[in-house]
Amino acid sequence: MTLKNYLPLILFLLTILAISCKNTEIHKSTEKPNKPNIVLIYADDLGYGDISPYGGIGLQTPNLDSLASQSIVFRNAYATGATCTPSRYSLLTGNYAWRKKGTGVAKGDESLLIDTMSTTLPSTLKSAGYETGIVGKWHLGLGGSGGPDWNGKITPGPLEIGFDYSYIIPATGDRVPCVFVENHHIVNLDLNDPIKVDYKEKIGDWPTGKENPELLKMKPSQGHDNTIVNGISRIGWMTGGSNALWDDETIAQQLVKKSTDFIELNKNEPFFLYLSTHDIHVPRVPNKMFQGKSGLGPRGDVILQLDWTVGEIMSLLRQQQLLDNTIVIFSSDNGPVLDDGYYDQARELNGAHKPAGEFRGGKYSSLEGGSRIPLIVRWPDGKGKGTISNAMVSQVDFLKSFGRLAGVDKIENDVIDSQDLLDVLLGNDKVGRNSLVQESFEGPLSYVEGTWKYIAPHNGPELVPWGPKIETGFLPKPQLYNLKEDSGESNNLSDKFPEKKEDMAKKLASILKNSFTNKLEVNVEQY
Ligand code: NG6
Ligand code: CA
């Protein structure tokens, strides 16, 4: 038999194949995804009192106000830490960061802090069929024990802990290298101009803030006097990779663009986007659109820029008709700070604005200002729209809560601290957590249970020692506050209620037992 004899059969088979492909296509494009998408917009250093849904004054944030009016506004929500790395570690792993050594503020060339074998929020959602993406600040280390191979394949990182796509600022805007990493590689890196990074000593011959202050467009007030990139001196030294350097004025635009691409690409799948903004961390370099617009200086201007980011994401979701199938969550990684190491007039132009709202302390602190943060949750069906919840909830709970929402009924037992608070996030349960631990920059000293707050005795300084003028809440004697009557933690009741104090001290000690709880490794030299 020749091929000719088979022709009718081949044609028949090809026709069947074509029809079935077409059907699959139709099936794919008309199929309604049955799991809601999740977009988490995670701001950096945004305080409880910085935005009007929480009583903030002195700034107009129309997009956040509009989001809040369509959402449940949580007034008793916490990040687990008062700095970035521990809060983000907890958000992604469902565990307190003080359980793991080395999770204080991470250096810019730190190796990956999350165990690639562990259960994470993105890996949980991925197992439920979600496409998972991170766009923005990472600050959880990259690479194996030797740290990241900047000129090669940067791994392990977000892709090894459950993200399908990543476009990240490796550490922070004020730490070198000032480049974006997309999946495993630095974006726009020319290998003829390799990048070198050092956190111990100067590398290369690029000017530094210390040696060439005349080249600076923003001067450091503390630290931040190493390599100058775009007229701003940073923490750490770098050289090379000139083509890859980001432009500080367009970081927000770039992150919105990459988020938009991710959403458009995955709009037919259930997707999880963790958009981790650089705003409002230092260095605060607003885009021209926002420069001078807030009246509060660059810190206020980057709050407007953050508000713009929220507006862009919401209008994209609207345009793509995804709003009725997407949960939008807005929160922050830790409390606010005015002067965080650069002279940007944040303190001088602050006026009547109260970044931490009614709370004492701020970023770094064991007081409420350190980790009580805004949390706004918008449900696609308008559930709880425009209401306030006073239920206690922590970001560490997102893993189990959104895991359940995604239909994952078994979470591995390496997730210790996360609680399934889906009913709280939905506004049904008005109580929430019974208790939680708050981590200051010197470790987990505070314990909140119901309306009571206990801070363990600690001999640290009363003010953050490197300049921000923030109260740490550290005292050599125990502190006990009734947050219901005294949210500003001004009336220490530990002598008045010794039994309560003892009870809370014991509970905190028993939670911390068998965990790494020594003073966290803070790189004090840089302060
Ligand atoms: C501190 C930096 C501060 C900020 C912080 C981390 C100095 C004087 N201060 O060491 O500017 O980068 O670390 O902030 O260097 S966080 O929000 O990422 O935790
Ligand atoms: Ca932060």
Side-chain angles (χ1 to χ4, degrees):
M1 267 223 222
T2 62
L3 185 66
K4 221 171 154 190
N5 301 84
Y6 279 112
L7 254 182
L9 180 65
I10 291 173
L11 276 177
F12 174 75
L13 287 174
L14 280 176
T15 315
I16 300 268
L17 191 71
I19 290 171
S20 77
C21 283
K22 197 153 182 250
N23 279 346
T24 323
E25 230 170 67
I26 292 168
H27 180 69
K28 200 168 181 197
S29 62
T30 53
E31 188 186 37
K32 263 254 160 224
N34 50 11
K35 291 181 181 176
N37 309 309
I38 304 174
V39 173
L40 166 59
I41 305 176
Y42 202 55
D44 199 351
D45 296 359
L46 186 80
Y48 191 94
D50 271 324
I51 51 172
S52 38
Y54 288 83
I57 48 163
L59 277 171
Q60 301 296 320
T61 50
N63 295 302
L64 278 162
D65 296 356
S66 160
L67 175 66
S69 72
Q70 304 162 41
S71 307
I72 307 180
V73 171
F74 289 85
R75 305 206 63 144
N76 202 1
Y78 291 84
T80 65
T83 56
C84 182
T85 303
S87 295
R88 286 158 199 262
Y89 180 92
S90 298
L91 173 82
L92 294 182
T93 62
N95 287 324
Y96 285 125
W98 42 260
R99 295 196 188 280
K100 182 168 169 121
K101 201 170 168 153
T103 51
V105 175
K107 287 188 294 161
D109 61 354
E110 185 73 61
S111 49
L112 180 65
L113 290 167
I114 298 175
D115 183 345
T116 54
M117 299 305 286
S118 59
T119 305
T120 65
L121 175 60
S123 74
T124 302
L125 295 175
K126 192 177 156 109
S127 74
Y130 278 69
E131 279 294 312
T132 55
I134 168 172
V135 174
K137 175 171 172 175
W138 176 241
H139 210 188
L140 288 164
L142 291 167
S145 53
D149 172 9
W150 298 114
N151 299 296
K153 186 174 179 188
I154 300 170
T155 184
L159 300 196
E160 286 68 37
I161 64 122
F163 285 107
D164 295 307
Y165 174 72
S166 98
Y167 185 91
I168 56 170
I169 292 172
T172 62
D174 57 345
R175 284 172 174 75
V176 299
C178 302
V179 296
F180 295 113
V181 175
E182 188 165 32
N183 297 325
H184 287 130
H185 293 93
I186 289 183
V187 179
N188 292 334
L189 179 64
D190 173 359
L191 286 179
N192 294 317
D193 178 25
I195 206 162
K196 292 190 184 111
V197 171
D198 206 311
Y199 269 78
K200 291 200 188 78
E201 54 188 17
K202 183 173 173 180
I203 194 163
D205 58 0
W206 288 11
T208 65
K210 196 168 181 178
E211 293 156 325
N212 292 94
E214 73 287 356
L215 298 177
L216 295 173
K217 66 175 188 199
M218 190 191 280
K219 297 218 184 299
S221 57
Q222 282 292 326
H224 297 106
D225 60 357
N226 305 147
T227 301
I228 301 176
V229 175
N230 303 335
I232 302 165
S233 47
R234 319 272 167 163
I235 305 174
W237 292 269
M238 73 174 286
T239 187
S242 300
N243 265 350
L245 298 176
W246 67 50
D247 165 22
D248 294 85
E249 276 187 32
T250 56
I251 289 179
Q253 276 72 14
Q254 189 60 10
L255 300 187
V256 164
K257 161 99 182 51
K258 291 293 165 179
S259 300
T260 304
D261 292 350
F262 177 82
I263 292 173
E264 284 179 348
L265 189 69
N266 295 298
K267 65 182 179 193
N268 294 326
E269 316 283 336
F271 63 82
F272 166 54
L273 171 65
Y274 169 37
L275 165 52
S276 169
T277 70
H278 159 64
D279 293 320
I280 62 167
H281 199 277
V282 295
R284 303 175 182 125
V285 188
N287 185 268
K288 289 206 171 52
M289 283 195 280
F290 308 105
Q291 284 172 18
K293 294 284 159 60
S294 69
L296 300 186
R299 184 175 187 276
D301 297 348
V302 294
I303 295 179
L304 303 190
Q305 184 162 277
L306 173 67
D307 185 63
W308 170 85
T309 296
V310 172
E312 290 298 294
I313 298 299
M314 292 307 287
S315 57
L316 172 73
L317 294 173
R318 194 168 302 115
Q319 266 166 30
Q320 299 286 342
Q321 301 181 325
L322 291 168
L323 270 181
D324 64 357
N325 193 33
T326 303
I327 301 163
V328 180
I329 305 150
F330 176 85
S331 200
S332 173
D333 67 341
N334 52 252
V337 52
L338 292 176
D339 179 344
D340 205 16
Y342 291 100
Y343 289 113
D344 61 7
Q345 293 187 291
R347 203 176 272 151
E348 294 77 0
L349 297 179
N350 186 53
H353 181 72
K354 282 191 179 166
E358 68 206 73
F359 301 115
R360 239 178 99 194
K363 182 173 179 177
Y364 307 110
S365 174
S366 60
L367 297 158
E368 289 293 286
S371 54
R372 180 90 77 102
I373 37 71
L375 172 64
I376 298 173
V377 183
R378 181 191 184 281
W379 291 98
D381 60 358
K383 188 148 188 357
K385 175 181 165 174
T387 61
I388 287 174
S389 169
N390 290 313
M392 181 154 71
V393 56
S394 165
Q395 292 165 359
V396 79
D397 302 321
F398 288 1
L399 194 157
K400 282 202 180 151
S401 308
F402 292 115
R404 169 148 75 95
L405 179 100
V408 181
D409 38 43
K410 184 172 180 326
I411 307 263
E412 296 299 325
N413 51 15
D414 61 333
V415 179
I416 302 169
D417 300 307
S418 188
Q419 293 180 7
D420 173 0
L421 295 189
L422 182 58
D423 292 336
V424 170
L425 294 169
L426 281 163
N428 299 334
D429 175 340
K430 311 273 185 232
V431 178
R433 266 182 173 265
N434 179 37
S435 64
L436 52 77
V437 177
Q438 292 169 297
E439 178 174 334
S440 74
F441 80 99
E442 295 222 343
L445 298 168
S446 316
Y447 176 65
V448 182
E449 188 183 81
T451 61
W452 291 94
K453 159 117 175 226
Y454 167 78
I455 308 178
H458 184 66
N459 284 322
E462 280 184 35
L463 285 183
V464 175
W466 56 89
K469 294 192 178 153
I470 290 172
E471 287 186 283
T472 59
F474 304 157
L475 278 186
K477 59 180 185 193
Q479 297 169 74
L480 181 72
Y481 299 105
N482 184 335
L483 293 177
K484 194 167 181 196
E485 290 155 10
D486 177 26
S487 60
E489 295 167 279
S490 60
N491 188 14
N492 185 357
L493 299 172
S494 71
D495 291 338
K496 201 165 166 194
F497 297 102
E499 280 166 20
K500 187 80 198 162
K501 175 201 72 185
E502 275 308 306
D503 175 52
M504 292 193 64
K506 271 193 198 134
K507 283 177 177 155
L508 176 61
S510 103
I511 296 171
L512 299 181
K513 212 168 131 212
N514 300 329
S515 292
F516 167 72
T517 54
N518 298 331
K519 181 175 156 179
L520 291 169
E521 289 162 335
V522 181
N523 184 0
V524 280
E525 286 119 289
Q526 71 193 21
Y527 308 135

